[in-house]
Amino acid sequence: MRRRLRVGLLAGAVLLFSGCANIPEESTPHAVRDNQPLVTEAAERPPTANLNAFDLVREFVKRSGNPEAAAMYLTERAKADWPADSKPYVVHDTFSTVPLSNDDQKESGEDQGGVEEGSVVVVLRVTQLGRLGPDNAFVPRIGTPEFKVDVVRENGQWRIDDPPDDVYVPYAYFKTSYRPVTVYYFDPDLRITVPDQRYVPAAPAAGLPDRVVKVLLSGPSDSLRRSVESPLEGISARTNVVPDTDGTLVVDLNPVGDKSKEQREKIAAQIVLSLQTVTSSRLRIKGDNQDLIPGHGDWRLSDIKQYDAATKPGSDQQGLIVSGGRLRDLRDGKPVPGPAGDGQYDVVSAAQSIDGEQLAVVTRSGGKLSLRVGRYGEQLQEIALDASSMSRPTWRVSTGDQEASEVWTVEDGNVVRVVRAGDETWRSVEVNASALNENFGDITHLRLSRDGTRAAIVTSRGWVVLAAVVRDKDSVSLSLPRTLSPTIIVNAVGVDWLNQHTLVVATGQPQMPVINLSLDGLTIDIYDPNNLQLPVRAVTAAPDRDVVVTDSAAVSRVSGLGQVWHRLQNGQGPSAIPFYPG
């Protein structure tokens, strides 16, 4: 059984009870949860007639994702100052509107007896999930603010005279007001496309392509701005994205100037990929008022190169597993060739490069851990780390004909990368991870994305953290870490990349032992826990591969959400650590 939990609804059950505890006993609680079917409301529909002040504020909050609709709940004076077009905060679907408590009335000098006089103060209490930034990306931001909302009589109806200074939209209504879209940029080597999720107003639907192109041209989101490159930098749209007379959507760019054919192909890829979910029309991409690439007027998805191919393990790379101190094939449990499989090394954990050619193996000797790196099936060079703790390694993607030349691990709490030197030896270099301060806890697991631009992290606090990988001239750092769904995911024990868009997380939480998690933390999909022997101890995932976990009894795989877990016949038991290349 497939189960999808939206963040706003999942935590709502808890907030339903905790929120009611704060309602003054002398007041009448107003509905704290709305289970009515969601309907996309037309902007021109006025507020429900004859609402009391408390329900008016509730309806206002629900419709705040549509500035025109929300403005009709305000007095003429308030309309002039309300920041209708500001980026909204997204809040839990559970929120409350209650009167001032007696103590608050005395402290503020406000008297709720003013209802009869045509004014009332409504206390609005919300729980934040995050907000849209100026870049149209969702930024997690947890908080429980409350606001005193002045409501007055105007033309016989209650209207809001002093709304909150920002826009707050319940998640369920945010989904109807905003459309998630993915725009695409490139890794620093300009070889791999990198997705970047943003949100644009959903209505009017006919304008979606234009809004997506404007977001794309505005550049990467703040969290990725220093981690990716855009061949579109410095280019703008000459006109809005509109259909031609034959229905083809026209994207007209300026100035494209003297960009090479290869650069123009990458520009076309960015546009086609970014628009693939909002239109099925052909695209006519122009540069400086002529075909972007001479002789290639119209574009479809099939016309662009597969720039993400390097992020997907080949069909012959079906995964490995560490068990009993040896490295084995995931499918049949047989030891791999070379010292990592024949018992010369006491293997604790390992990683394989995406092309399958390189291995990084954590070994134990005399109570200390070391990292060994080299070619699959051969002797591996020992890196003198001598740590007491070391996370499972993770490889940076290689592109073109280059061999993988960089692998990361966390050594006694320090993030290090081991890089290939010019003489074919390997050396360790520390990564600047100062942004992950003590507030996040110690890093227990770290997985580089297969495009090399992000790191998914599990900390000792049980949180899942996403950080950008920033490569400057002389250093590499983890930047802008963000905790994903910290009120829901509180006991993560492992993480891996299902694809460039989605994480798979193993947790110690029985109700959600294995989940898919969006990179902004807003969407959680739960794998059916049937057939698992909890707790889950390890997880691995990769594009076009089964998700594989180790639980307290065995190693199991599942082909997708809603499917049944099957034990691997040669899974090697509850201490095994499975992994795919990457």
Side-chain angles (χ1 to χ4, degrees):
M1 177 180 63
R2 175 177 176 174
R3 289 184 292 171
R4 167 165 288 191
L5 296 186
R6 297 292 187 175
V7 173
L9 300 178
L10 180 63
V14 176
L15 293 170
L16 175 61
F17 298 105
S18 62
C20 287
N22 293 321
I23 297 176
E25 293 181 0
E26 66 273 20
S27 70
T28 302
H30 290 258
V32 184
R33 189 171 182 80
D34 185 356
N35 292 318
Q36 297 298 317
L38 294 179
V39 178
T40 302
E41 299 172 292
E44 62 271 14
R45 187 173 73 79
T48 302
N50 301 317
L51 285 176
N52 62 51
F54 302 93
D55 287 340
L56 180 89
V57 173
R58 291 188 59 76
E59 196 171 279
F60 164 75
V61 172
K62 293 173 184 177
R63 299 189 71 190
S64 289
N66 186 317
E68 294 180 14
M72 290 188 283
Y73 291 77
L74 306 177
T75 63
E76 292 302 319
R77 186 187 71 81
K79 287 177 185 178
D81 298 326
W82 189 59
D85 294 328
S86 66
K87 304 298 182 184
Y89 282 87
V90 183
V91 302
H92 284 305
D93 294 334
T94 299
F95 64 95
S96 62
T97 53
V98 299
L100 280 175
S101 68
N102 289 334
D103 290 342
D104 285 340
Q105 289 183 49
K106 293 174 182 178
E107 182 178 336
S108 64
E110 298 176 88
D111 184 359
Q112 289 297 96
V115 172
E116 287 74 21
E117 301 170 7
S119 66
V120 65
V121 177
V122 176
V123 178
L124 170 65
R125 295 175 178 145
V126 300
T127 299
Q128 294 172 182
L129 297 173
R131 75 171 304 176
L132 288 192
D135 55 0
N136 283 75
F138 177 80
V139 181
R141 183 174 298 177
I142 302 300
T144 55
E146 69 173 45
F147 309 94
K148 295 177 182 178
V149 181
D150 293 338
V151 186
V152 301
R153 285 280 188 180
E154 187 174 82
N155 299 323
Q157 297 290 325
W158 289 108
R159 290 296 181 261
I160 297 169
D161 195 49
D162 187 14
D165 291 336
D166 293 295
V167 178
Y168 294 85
V169 182
Y171 179 64
Y173 292 84
F174 174 76
K175 288 189 296 177
T176 67
S177 301
Y178 285 82
R179 173 78 175 265
V181 297
T182 303
V183 293
Y184 286 81
Y185 302 98
F186 279 86
D187 75 305
D189 295 329
L190 289 170
R191 292 180 179 272
I192 302 173
T193 47
V194 179
D196 189 4
Q197 182 156 300
R198 317 285 264 280
Y199 293 83
V200 297
L208 270 173
D210 184 64
R211 293 193 289 277
V212 171
V213 169
K214 282 182 169 61
V215 168
L216 172 66
L217 293 174
S218 71
S221 61
D222 292 343
S223 64
L224 278 179
R225 198 168 297 277
R226 296 177 58 202
S227 302
V228 297
E229 297 290 335
S230 178
L232 280 163
E233 185 175 359
I235 295 176
S236 60
R238 292 181 68 248
T239 63
N240 291 340
V241 178
V242 293
D244 209 342
T245 54
D246 61 357
T248 303
L249 283 178
V250 180
V251 181
D252 197 353
L253 305 173
N254 181 70
V256 177
D258 59 355
K259 287 187 180 291
S260 67
K261 181 181 179 182
E262 182 180 13
Q263 291 172 315
R264 290 168 183 250
E265 287 176 343
K266 289 182 169 65
I267 287 173
Q270 287 182 269
I271 292 170
V272 173
L273 288 171
S274 299
L275 290 175
Q276 63 181 318
T277 62
V278 297
T279 182
S280 58
S281 300
R282 290 174 300 171
L283 301 177
R284 187 162 296 147
I285 306 177
K286 293 182 173 292
D288 302 325
N289 206 28
Q290 55 188 331
D291 288 346
L292 179 66
I293 295 179
H296 196 148
D298 294 354
W299 293 80
R300 290 190 180 276
L301 192 60
S302 58
D303 293 323
I304 65 173
K305 296 178 181 178
Q306 299 300 306
Y307 288 102
D308 64 348
T311 68
K312 301 176 180 179
S315 59
D316 58 332
Q317 304 300 326
Q318 293 297 316
L320 301 172
I321 189 167
V322 174
S323 179
R326 298 190 183 195
L327 189 57
R328 305 171 186 270
D329 189 287
L330 181 61
R331 294 166 295 181
D332 57 22
K334 294 180 179 179
V336 303
D342 65 14
Q344 292 185 47
Y345 305 148
D346 181 7
V347 180
V348 176
S349 66
Q352 185 180 27
S353 59
I354 296 179
D355 60 10
E357 298 294 325
Q358 307 289 322
L359 280 179
V361 176
V362 176
T363 62
R364 181 186 291 109
S365 178
K368 286 291 187 179
L369 301 177
S370 295
L371 186 68
R372 292 178 178 270
V373 185
R375 293 188 64 81
Y376 179 88
E378 299 180 2
Q379 290 287 338
L380 308 177
Q381 179 188 334
E382 184 176 23
I383 311 299
L385 295 180
D386 291 332
S388 58
S389 68
M390 193 176 297
S391 69
R392 187 169 79 79
T394 178
W395 284 92
R396 182 191 181 194
V397 65
S398 59
T399 55
D401 297 328
Q402 299 176 344
E403 290 186 324
S405 59
E406 182 175 311
V407 63
W408 291 37
T409 186
V410 182
E411 171 212 0
D412 291 339
N414 299 312
V415 181
V416 297
R417 58 191 184 100
V418 175
V419 297
R420 189 196 304 269
D423 58 357
E424 292 301 307
T425 61
W426 297 78
R427 61 186 180 89
S428 64
V429 182
E430 189 165 341
V431 174
N432 180 0
S434 59
L436 284 149
N437 55 40
E438 64 274 5
N439 295 327
F440 291 91
D442 297 330
I443 300 173
T444 59
H445 296 78
L446 186 149
R447 311 301 309 153
L448 289 176
S449 62
R450 290 183 174 89
D451 54 39
T453 61
R454 299 175 172 104
I457 294 163
V458 173
T459 74
S460 57
R461 296 194 174 187
W463 291 342
V464 178
V465 177
L466 193 68
V469 176
V470 177
R471 295 182 178 273
D472 295 318
K473 183 176 181 181
D474 300 316
S475 65
V476 177
S477 60
L478 292 175
S479 176
L480 296 174
R482 294 176 177 179
T483 306
L484 306 182
S485 298
T487 61
I488 298 172
I489 304 172
V490 296
N491 191 13
V493 298
V495 66
D496 209 344
W497 292 83
L498 180 65
N499 50 47
Q500 289 179 284
H501 308 262
T502 308
L503 300 173
V504 177
V505 181
T507 83
Q509 298 166 235
Q511 73 277 21
M512 44 185 283
V514 186
I515 61 174
N516 281 355
L517 179 66
S518 63
L519 299 190
D520 58 15
L522 266 180
T523 303
I524 295 174
D525 290 316
I526 302 179
Y527 288 87
D528 188 345
N530 289 327
N531 290 359
L532 292 178
Q533 299 295 313
L534 303 182
V536 173
R537 306 175 189 275
V539 64
T540 189
D544 306 319
R545 298 289 190 276
D546 290 349
V547 173
V548 180
V549 302
T550 303
D551 61 20
S552 63
V555 178
S556 299
R557 62 177 177 82
V558 71
S559 58
L561 292 163
Q563 302 302 307
V564 177
W565 292 93
H566 296 280
R567 288 191 180 184
L568 295 179
Q569 293 183 352
N570 300 286
Q572 307 300 319
S575 62
I577 303 175
F579 61 92
Y580 289 117

